[in-house]
Amino acid sequence: MNTKWKPEPIRSSDITPEAVYVNRRQFMKGAALVAGGALLAACAPQAAPTPVPSVAATYDGQKDELGDPLTSYAAVTGYNNYYEFTEDKEGVAPMAKDFKTRPWTIEVSGLVNKPRTYDIDELMKRFPPEERVYRLRCVEGWSMVIPWRGFPLNQLLKEVEPTGAAKYVHFVSLLDRDQMPGQHSPFFVWPYSEGLRLDEAQNDLTLVATGLYGKDLLPQNGAPLRVVVPWKYGFKSAKALVKIELVADQPPTLWLTSAPNEYGFYSNVNPDVPHPRWSQDSERRIGESDRRPTLMFNGYADQVASLYTGMDLRTNY
Ligand code: MTE
């Protein structure tokens, strides 16, 4: 999704059960190189396959509210965007496997009456988790259906009491060059950060996720906690959060700083507003072979369209 990125062909891992594709990975990397389709993947260090834990059978056959089946646990945990580690989507899981998620604190501060720093385990006890099945639509044109575990961000915001001056929320990911080799890249301004307008952050759909498929998050998905904003392109859902800051002005974000002509602050999923280099009107659901039409606000218009009443979504892309 940086300026080097181009839409990709379907990969074996998208459509093959994980037991098969994990064994095939080394072969497919070679095949992709011959096809000239995955130079980044081919250049990545060769990593041992990561064992995939089994998932409770209760998820078998589960669907989202539109009737779409869940994306396999293997794909959700094996095909990731996490630039702090690598730009090779299948390389993130093996590279991140030893990432330390304890001890971990998250600071909630800025324009609030009651700033607080939570220990992650204290936070997880304080806000009982619920399960939410959300579609995740990446700006690159692929999507997944994921059963997240977490709690609405508005519960946390309520506890710290935003002041009247707070208009935006800034999400800041961990900065740790020793653990995250991608942070040596000079192409981005680290740490990763994202932002929402306060009312977007307070919308009930906006989740603080601590798990998926009934288990704690694995490092590649943003452990120990991330935000999930399902009506926006996936890059708004920042991983490995260490700080949530309430601010008065629109905060800087990694993608906006790197490529302002390509990535807007709002980044609502919108099939009518193309990315400057490709259309956004369809997507490849991981695990399916045919592309499917992309839905306005990723199918969540009923819950969020009113946030943008009167706004021109072509200008505010
Ligand atoms: N958060 C951080 N800190 N670093 C990243 O590179 N990538 C984003 C988002 N959050 C990213 C991030 C992008 S582009 C997407 S599509 C989603 O995470 C992917 O989430 P997943 O790997 O859990 O599917």
Side-chain angles (χ1 to χ4, degrees):
M1 48 174 288
N2 61 17
T3 42
K4 290 179 287 179
W5 184 84
K6 291 193 180 61
E8 296 171 53
I10 293 171
R11 292 173 180 226
S12 63
S13 58
D14 304 340
I15 50 178
T16 315
E18 106 265 5
V20 183
Y21 99 74
V22 167
N23 289 331
R24 264 204 218 147
R25 264 181 57 190
Q26 301 311 325
F27 167 73
M28 286 309 293
K29 279 189 175 171
L33 180 61
V34 173
L39 286 175
L40 280 172
C43 295
Q46 297 289 300
T50 316
V52 180
S54 63
V55 163
T58 47
Y59 291 96
D60 285 353
Q62 252 206 51
K63 296 186 163 48
D64 70 6
E65 80 286 4
L66 301 181
D68 293 345
L70 303 183
T71 302
S72 75
Y73 185 71
V76 172
T77 58
Y79 187 85
N80 302 99
N81 265 346
Y82 207 163
Y83 279 59
E84 284 91 331
F85 289 98
T86 169
E87 296 180 22
D88 168 14
K89 296 181 203 312
E90 293 179 28
V92 175
M95 278 187 77
K97 75 178 181 354
D98 296 324
F99 179 67
K100 278 176 48 198
T101 59
R102 295 293 188 285
W104 193 281
T105 56
I106 167 99
E107 176 188 321
V108 191
S109 59
L111 300 172
V112 297
N113 291 323
K114 298 180 174 166
R116 267 187 83 163
T117 297
Y118 296 86
D119 172 75
I120 180 67
D121 296 307
E122 176 200 351
L123 182 91
M124 285 166 72
K125 274 195 217 115
R126 176 89 191 82
F127 301 100
E130 20 180 305
E131 185 148 289
R132 301 261 186 109
V133 177
Y134 283 163
R135 293 170 292 285
L136 181 133
R137 167 62 156 84
C138 181
V139 74
E140 297 165 350
W142 51 268
S143 61
M144 297 190 182
V145 183
I146 304 176
W148 297 104
R149 199 181 66 192
F151 58 89
L153 175 64
N154 57 31
Q155 293 182 4
L156 181 57
L157 294 175
K158 206 167 160 192
E159 187 156 286
V160 297
E161 294 180 12
T163 70
K167 298 284 181 264
Y168 293 87
V169 183
H170 192 204
F171 301 92
V172 184
S173 302
L174 180 70
L175 180 66
D176 183 346
R177 289 197 173 83
D178 292 339
Q179 289 204 82
M180 298 170 136
Q183 289 183 336
H184 292 286
S185 165
F187 295 111
F188 301 107
V189 178
W190 303 106
Y192 196 99
S193 87
E194 260 307 332
L196 294 174
R197 226 170 50 196
L198 180 58
D199 57 348
E200 297 178 318
Q202 287 170 326
N203 186 278
D204 191 58
L205 284 179
T206 306
L207 202 70
V208 177
T210 54
L212 58 82
Y213 264 104
K215 299 168 182 288
D216 286 351
L217 286 181
L218 292 176
Q220 60 267 35
N221 295 108
L225 83 168
R226 69 182 290 177
V227 67
V228 182
V229 195
W231 72 95
K232 293 179 179 277
Y233 292 116
F235 66 86
K236 298 296 285 183
S237 296
K239 300 176 172 182
L241 294 179
V242 291
K243 187 160 140 184
I244 298 176
E245 189 178 18
L246 285 281
V247 293
D249 301 315
Q250 185 181 300
T253 71
L254 178 135
W255 289 108
L256 211 50
T257 313
S258 310
N261 51 329
E262 303 209 344
Y263 304 108
F265 179 77
Y266 282 94
S267 293
N268 292 316
V269 174
N270 188 339
D272 302 328
V273 177
H275 183 278
R277 289 185 288 133
W278 60 86
S279 162
Q280 291 291 23
D281 66 4
S282 72
E283 67 202 58
R284 181 169 64 87
R285 181 65 50 84
I286 301 296
E288 295 178 357
S289 43
D290 294 335
R291 293 183 76 83
R292 48 163 71 216
T294 286
L295 302 175
M296 187 65 199
F297 296 117
N298 204 18
Y300 299 99
D302 287 353
Q303 292 100 311
V304 300
S306 62
L307 293 168
Y308 309 103
T309 307
M311 279 176 69
D312 179 348
L313 297 178
R314 285 181 185 276
T315 322
N316 298 290
Y317 58 95

